[in-house]
Amino acid sequence: MSMRTLPLVFINLGGEMLYILDQRLRAQNTADDNTQKGVWSEEDRKRVMNDIVATMFNKAFMEELLKPQDLYSHGALRRVLTRLAHASIMRLNPASMDRLYELMVMAFKYQLLLCPRPRDLLIISYNHIDTIREFVRDTPSVLNQVDETHRKIIEVYTPLSDGEFQLLRQTLLIFLQDMHVRVSLFLKNKVQNPNGRFALSTTGPVPHGIEVPGLIRMFSSNGKEWKRWEFPTGGSYTSSIRVGSFERFGDRVIRIGTNMYSVTQPEETHTSENYSQKVNSEPNLLAKEELNLLARLLGGMEVQNRNTETGFQVNLFDTDQEEEAGASGGNGDQSFEVINIQATQDVQVNTELARIAGEFTGEPEQTELPEGPSNKGDDLLAMMDELIEL
Amino acid sequence: MYHKEKSIQIKSSASALYNNLSVLRIAPRSLTYFTVVHANMVNMVSASWDGLNYSHRQLQSKEANVTTSSSLIMQAAWCVLPSRDILVLTSQKGIQMYESDGSIMVYWHALETPETPTAQAVFARGIAAVREKYICVGISSGSMLVFDVPSKGSNITLSEVLEEHKESITDMASECSGSLECIADMVSADDSGNLCVWKSGEDFQLLNKIPGFDMSCSSVKLWKGTVVAGYGTGQIRLYEAVTGIVHAEVNAHARWIYSLDIAPFSGLLLSAAEDSLVRVWHLTMTPETNSVEIVHMYNECVTDTQICGAKFCDGDGYAFAVTGYDLICLQQTDLAANSSEWRVREENLGRWHNGKHSTHHANRVNPLGGNSNVGRSYSEDRYTALSELQGTSPCFNLTLPVTLPAVHSDGSHPTSDTSVAKGGAGK
């Protein structure tokens, strides 16, 4: 269908990946458990972010993406995103990459569904770019790449009509169809139901350019309104708020696509005006399932820091109450509040690293049917290999 | 007014596409067919009226070249013509036409695709059966293909290409009231909201062009010379087709409208949108003032679902079916048994049973009371004639004097039925 999906897919999925990685790396850095080894320093974290962003916003890479083409398959997209994730000193094993991909994709699906107007997909993309800009603001060369790309995206996408944006959105929704992975953050915030489907509200402001439903107007043949009356809408809508900025800078207004993993998010144990939830003492099994996934993701992250050892332990929740309640040490994840993760030991790490390194030069997995005369994404992979310095 | 019936499962979930539900009522076999598009496949469900038998079939999009990536289907719809019903599938690669049960493909038209992909997507979308022998299909470039369809066989030919729209076609509709007095036969809509009104014939004639002001029109219907159009802004507008005069404007939905349908005998209108709501309206014509009035009747919320298809299951609007993105079922809603409309329907059926009607254009009682002296669509004509012979009721959900023909689990029917279904005696 739409030939213009790829650049937005990469910016949004890549952006989500960076949000997750940033949050995980910060979480390890701020943990004060004294058994922690191989801490990611502030410098390490910034280096990882810079390396990935530099690869993602590389000029030639973006130009390749901006060519009109069909959307890649899930397999091809995952391969390219895996290479992207490995464009730094950080390594993820395939299982962790699987989980990371699921999280990224579900976040993007949520953003697509809740996107008020199809054109607002650009605002969502710009929210991602804005945050990415923050990640690399100390590195002028990479910052410049991000700005250049942003300019290019504005140039290419601004002329598209609403109908073309809806086609783009429909293409992406077809791509993400039938995915119902439950994400603990979404379940917690009640934006996702226990069955994996997202909650769509029938209240609130209407999107910009849409009238509040409820009015019927009749016109005579000379165009004059001669009758008007209202009907019950079954929802409770208010007028739209102001439109967000489609420029390189400005108030985007729409919050979808901003970093929901950031440390400034309210803790789930606190009650606040936004989240009027009590502390949930009932173990939420589904949320635990997703926390396990995050844990496994963490378990797969090793520090390739030549001077330090590679084991570490992380608590996902850093409030005292929950740390006390959690199981101490060990490798169990029996507690619902705290999951303790230990990285694999040296020997395993080395073999794991060797295998992953092998993937870079190895053939792509033959897990699916060929996608065409030339495998989609292969050109892109080749380009990324040149960009990545191992 | 209405109440929800049980859901019908489909083999795979519905894709987020405009007008993603098509319904065909086969009265002689007491069946209703539904189609829902899922990516590169069409799910067909055949549901018996007693709610006991369901059979499924899946149709794949045809790829021009097996090595290229699979072709996404944009729309699937039945075209009802006097002597046959054709199921049309429009995709990125072309247009496929099948016999009504999806068993045999009778025609394939490939779209021209450029060597290297251009920024403009290529696909076919928008399907309408017009008068006795035309099927029209829209293209992403804005062109419309007119196919000439014989009364049987596969000798379907491309009769004309209409180049009036400049943006991608979103939907097309033909005059559905059955009245022969209407001048306009068809309306087409595009991504910028422009509407073209046509008269069919050897050469289709453009009667009127209604501007859209860049508000994408995703769904359109034509009834008694009135164009009913649903927009991305959530609004519904009623126009007089040949003059373009706006009769009414409704701020109907809070999100993009995905589907409109009209029950031609009663003038009920169904609208469905991404805002999870399905709304039922009533249209009344007042010939004295030459205007159309629209009144709101009913709302239904399909929780946490962006609806992409909603259709009445019969010409009176006694029931409707809905499908939504990622939903793996069709939700059916039926006129509530305790409503006043139900009593009217019972009276109406009594008349059918006694065979009191005499002509094809007898007064029909619509679900809202009053009479609407409307002609009927071709399939209604055919099955009415047959039901006169068989003495069965044309409406479902009632006890029937004749046993229903069995439906095999693979969707095939006993051979004795096919001769009845293809309208030998009635026409």
Side-chain angles (χ1 to χ4, degrees):
Chain A
M1 285 165 51
S2 176
M3 296 303 206
R4 288 253 177 249
T5 52
L6 269 186
L8 297 187
V9 167
F10 268 95
I11 287 170
N12 288 299
L13 285 183
E16 287 302 313
M17 179 167 79
L18 287 165
Y19 291 174
I20 296 168
L21 294 177
D22 177 69
Q23 199 265 348
R24 290 290 90 217
L25 296 174
R26 280 182 200 274
Q28 293 183 53
N29 197 29
T30 55
D32 49 18
D33 191 319
N34 60 9
T35 61
Q36 189 136 38
K37 300 172 204 163
V39 175
W40 287 85
S41 69
E42 181 80 6
E43 221 179 272
D44 286 328
R45 182 179 58 75
K46 284 199 174 169
R47 194 176 147 195
V48 169
M49 303 304 277
N50 277 320
D51 286 345
I52 296 178
V53 175
T55 311
M56 198 168 128
F57 286 83
N58 172 273
K59 188 155 183 266
F61 181 68
M62 268 298 155
E63 263 170 25
E64 184 59 39
L65 288 181
L66 281 163
K67 289 183 191 158
Q69 57 195 305
D70 271 321
L71 185 54
Y72 293 175
S73 66
H74 276 283
L77 202 57
R78 258 210 54 186
R79 277 205 295 281
V80 183
L81 286 164
T82 306
R83 300 292 176 95
L84 191 64
H86 291 167
S88 69
I89 56 172
M90 185 194 66
R91 290 293 170 265
L92 301 172
N93 65 31
S96 305
M97 193 60 220
D98 278 346
R99 304 288 87 82
L100 178 60
Y101 186 72
E102 276 173 3
L103 279 174
M104 285 153 58
V105 156
M106 288 309 290
F108 188 35
K109 185 171 182 176
Y110 166 67
Q111 289 154 11
L112 272 175
L113 273 173
L114 263 74
C115 187
R117 306 170 299 169
R119 184 174 293 275
D120 292 333
L121 185 51
L122 280 186
I123 299 267
I124 293 172
S125 310
Y126 297 165
N127 277 333
H128 283 102
I129 295 179
D130 287 344
T131 314
I132 290 170
R133 208 184 260 120
E134 277 306 302
F135 289 150
V136 299
R137 67 172 182 271
D138 296 333
T139 316
S141 58
V142 184
L143 188 60
N144 196 41
Q145 278 178 262
V146 176
D147 281 337
E148 270 308 305
T149 305
H150 197 175
R151 238 176 258 130
K152 196 87 187 118
I153 296 280
I154 290 174
E155 190 188 304
V156 167
Y157 284 93
T158 305
L160 260 54
S161 69
D162 288 337
E164 284 173 289
F165 273 113
Q166 182 66 287
L167 183 72
L168 209 163
R169 184 172 168 271
Q170 288 174 344
T171 310
L172 291 172
L173 285 174
I174 290 175
F175 179 68
L176 298 174
Q177 208 159 336
D178 301 323
M179 295 191 70
H180 302 295
V181 177
R182 289 177 285 271
V183 178
S184 61
L185 190 59
F186 292 145
L187 292 169
K188 193 171 61 185
N189 292 341
K190 300 273 197 279
V191 300
Q192 191 177 27
N193 298 322
N195 64 4
R197 298 182 184 257
F198 290 110
L200 300 178
S201 134
T202 53
T203 59
V206 291
H208 192 262
I210 289 189
E211 299 289 333
V212 176
L215 186 63
I216 302 175
R217 299 199 293 161
M218 304 286 310
F219 298 92
S220 61
S221 33
N222 60 5
K224 287 186 82 148
E225 182 188 312
W226 62 273
K227 194 171 165 188
R228 62 160 61 188
W229 67 97
E230 294 190 1
F231 67 90
T233 57
S236 119
Y237 298 105
T238 54
S239 352
S240 67
I241 46 185
R242 66 196 184 287
V243 68
S245 163
F246 283 85
E247 306 299 320
R248 273 177 49 231
F249 302 100
D251 180 7
R252 305 289 178 203
V253 178
I254 293 166
R255 304 294 299 151
I256 305 170
T258 55
N259 190 352
M260 62 185 171
Y261 302 100
S262 75
V263 294
T264 54
Q265 286 288 321
E267 299 290 349
E268 77 276 9
T269 52
H270 296 176
T271 54
S272 71
E273 278 134 54
N274 293 334
Y275 312 97
S276 53
Q277 301 161 16
K278 297 184 298 213
V279 174
N280 189 7
S281 53
E282 270 289 320
N284 181 345
L285 292 169
L286 293 164
K288 177 182 176 298
E289 190 48 49
E290 269 310 314
L291 287 172
N292 285 341
L293 297 182
L294 267 177
R296 282 200 285 277
L297 162 65
L298 272 178
M301 283 170 57
E302 296 106 18
V303 180
Q304 196 169 355
N305 217 326
R306 290 158 188 73
N307 300 328
T308 60
E309 289 181 88
T310 53
F312 55 81
Q313 193 174 64
V314 174
N315 290 331
L316 277 184
F317 298 100
D318 50 13
T319 59
D320 289 348
Q321 179 187 1
E322 284 158 335
E323 281 187 53
E324 280 165 29
S328 60
N331 55 4
D333 55 359
Q334 298 306 309
S335 146
F336 294 110
E337 284 86 30
V338 178
I339 292 177
N340 295 320
I341 300 133
Q342 277 184 326
T344 53
Q345 295 308 306
D346 284 2
V347 173
Q348 281 173 294
V349 164
N350 288 335
T351 44
E352 187 65 20
L353 280 175
R355 192 180 69 74
I356 290 168
E359 275 181 4
F360 275 80
T361 49
E363 296 301 309
E365 311 92 71
Q366 299 295 320
T367 49
E368 57 197 53
L369 299 169
E371 295 150 41
S374 65
N375 274 338
K376 283 213 180 91
D378 273 0
D379 293 340
L380 219 52
L381 292 174
M383 193 184 298
M384 290 184 75
D385 283 345
E386 287 164 33
L387 296 171
I388 294 166
E389 296 158 2
L390 279 173
Chain B
M1 184 183 173
Y2 287 94
H3 74 101
K4 282 187 200 170
E5 291 278 311
K6 67 175 179 180
S7 302
I8 300 176
Q9 294 296 311
I10 45 179
K11 286 293 179 198
S12 47
S13 58
S15 290
L17 296 162
Y18 303 141
N19 308 298
N20 191 6
L21 176 62
S22 187
V23 179
L24 183 70
R25 205 149 170 259
I26 317 261
R29 288 198 244 125
S30 305
L31 287 178
T32 304
Y33 287 156
F34 300 92
T35 54
V36 179
V37 176
H38 170 97
N40 60 342
M41 261 187 335
V42 171
N43 289 307
M44 255 182 78
V45 184
S46 151
S48 63
W49 289 355
D50 59 7
L52 297 177
N53 286 312
Y54 296 100
S55 65
H56 299 263
R57 172 174 259 150
Q58 287 181 308
L59 299 173
Q60 292 267 348
S61 68
K62 184 172 149 65
E63 289 134 273
N65 186 344
V66 289
T67 62
T68 56
S69 58
S70 78
S71 165
L72 293 174
I73 298 179
M74 303 298 289
Q75 196 178 359
W78 274 286
C79 290
V80 177
L81 295 168
S83 56
R84 67 198 299 196
D85 301 324
I86 302 268
L87 174 63
V88 180
L89 268 57
T90 55
S91 69
Q92 285 180 277
K93 292 282 187 289
I95 299 154
Q96 294 154 252
M97 298 194 194
Y98 291 83
E99 293 293 0
S100 67
D101 61 356
S103 55
I104 310 162
M105 183 155 79
V106 294
Y107 186 68
W108 158 250
H109 175 97
L111 292 179
E112 285 169 29
T113 41
E115 283 284 319
T116 49
T118 58
Q120 163 84 45
V122 176
F123 55 84
R125 179 175 61 187
I127 302 168
V130 186
R131 290 289 171 207
E132 290 92 32
K133 57 184 206 148
Y134 299 109
I135 288 180
C136 295
V137 177
I139 308 286
S140 47
S141 59
S143 309
M144 286 158 54
L145 306 178
V146 181
F147 294 97
D148 198 305
V149 182
S151 56
K152 57 176 185 272
S154 55
N155 189 23
I156 295 169
T157 53
L158 177 63
S159 148
E160 203 181 348
V161 179
L162 307 172
E163 311 265 18
E164 199 60 49
H165 290 276
K166 299 287 173 282
E167 304 292 324
S168 300
I169 304 290
T170 46
D171 193 21
M172 286 168 22
S174 57
E175 173 60 62
C176 63
S177 66
S179 160
L180 297 165
E181 295 154 9
C182 296
I183 309 164
D185 293 326
M186 182 174 78
V187 62
S188 53
D190 69 26
D191 250 348
S192 60
N194 290 332
L195 301 168
C196 287
V197 180
W198 305 88
K199 181 164 183 52
S200 68
E202 283 297 315
D203 292 307
F204 272 54
Q205 189 195 336
L206 178 70
L207 296 176
N208 192 18
K209 203 162 175 177
I210 302 172
F213 307 109
D214 284 329
M215 265 178 18
S216 178
C217 173
S218 42
S219 196
V220 73
K221 283 274 170 282
L222 182 60
W223 181 72
K224 293 191 176 178
T226 303
V227 171
V228 184
Y231 294 89
T233 53
Q235 288 180 315
I236 296 174
R237 289 222 191 94
L238 304 181
Y239 300 91
E240 185 176 81
V242 291
T243 59
I245 293 171
V246 181
H247 287 306
E249 180 178 272
V250 184
N251 296 339
H253 288 277
R255 293 285 190 283
W256 206 283
I257 290 179
Y258 262 59
S259 187
L260 289 180
D261 196 26
I262 290 187
F265 309 143
S266 58
L268 286 176
L269 169 70
L270 194 63
S271 69
E274 282 179 345
D275 63 357
S276 307
L277 285 159
V278 184
R279 303 195 197 277
V280 182
W281 316 80
H282 184 228
L283 303 177
T284 35
M285 314 279 303
T286 31
E288 301 85 41
T289 54
N290 197 30
S291 72
V292 186
E293 206 169 276
I294 176 167
V295 172
H296 175 258
M297 304 290 303
Y298 176 77
N299 291 328
E300 187 168 292
C301 182
V302 186
T303 319
D304 297 334
T305 303
Q306 298 199 336
I307 303 172
C308 51
K311 285 274 186 329
F312 285 115
C313 298
D314 58 271
D316 290 290
Y318 287 126
F320 61 86
V322 170
T323 185
Y325 172 65
D326 255 354
L327 268 196
I328 201 154
C329 64
L330 285 167
Q331 193 168 284
Q332 275 194 297
T333 301
D334 208 20
L335 207 53
N338 58 358
S339 69
S340 55
E341 293 85 4
W342 181 269
R343 280 199 303 282
V344 166
R345 170 188 164 167
E346 295 288 301
E347 286 162 23
N348 194 19
L349 292 164
R351 285 214 262 145
W352 282 100
H353 267 297
N354 298 335
K356 287 245 168 74
H357 54 83
S358 53
T359 68
H360 285 315
H361 295 278
N363 283 350
R364 295 205 39 152
V365 182
N366 68 38
L368 302 133
N371 287 332
S372 54
N373 191 4
V374 190
R376 281 182 248 130
S377 66
Y378 294 116
S379 68
E380 297 286 340
D381 275 344
R382 264 183 292 133
Y383 82 66
T384 302
L386 291 161
S387 69
E388 282 176 283
L389 295 171
Q390 293 174 313
T392 55
S393 162
C395 298
F396 57 88
N397 282 352
L398 292 180
T399 54
L400 298 165
V402 181
T403 51
L404 294 172
V407 176
H408 296 312
S409 57
D410 64 353
S412 65
H413 304 283
T415 47
S416 59
D417 272 346
T418 51
S419 58
V420 174
K422 280 306 158 198
K427 288 302 272 190

